[in-house]
Amino acid sequence: MKNDPLSLPLFEMRLEEIHRADPWLRYEISIREFIALFPVRYKNGLPIKPEHPAIYGVDREVFLKVLVAFKQCFN
């Protein structure tokens, strides 16, 4: 499966939407810092789903939104 070159920018845009929609995140962390918590890594040319960041206490609901965004952008 070859990745669309727009997948990464689309994923980052979705992360920005998640950040803007959460009042706690907007107060605690910048958009750039939030995006940096979920770097896209590749193995054998395929993107690997992001791991839950240990810092900032990103809650389960927010992390699930990140995983959904990742799946929509890279699958």
Side-chain angles (χ1 to χ4, degrees), residues 3-20 31-42 47-53 62-75:
N3 287 323
D4 181 345
L6 297 178
S7 294
L8 182 58
L10 181 60
F11 179 57
E12 290 180 352
M13 188 173 72
R14 294 291 307 278
L15 290 176
E16 288 180 15
E17 291 170 0
I18 293 167
H19 180 272
R20 285 189 184 108
I31 288 177
R32 289 289 129 212
E33 290 170 322
F34 182 68
I35 291 172
L37 292 176
F38 304 101
V40 177
R41 294 186 173 91
Y42 295 86
I48 301 170
K49 76 176 182 174
E51 296 180 10
H52 192 285
V62 169
F63 184 62
L64 289 176
K65 289 177 185 177
V66 170
L67 291 178
V68 168
F70 178 83
K71 185 170 182 161
Q72 290 173 342
C73 295
F74 289 100
N75 286 341

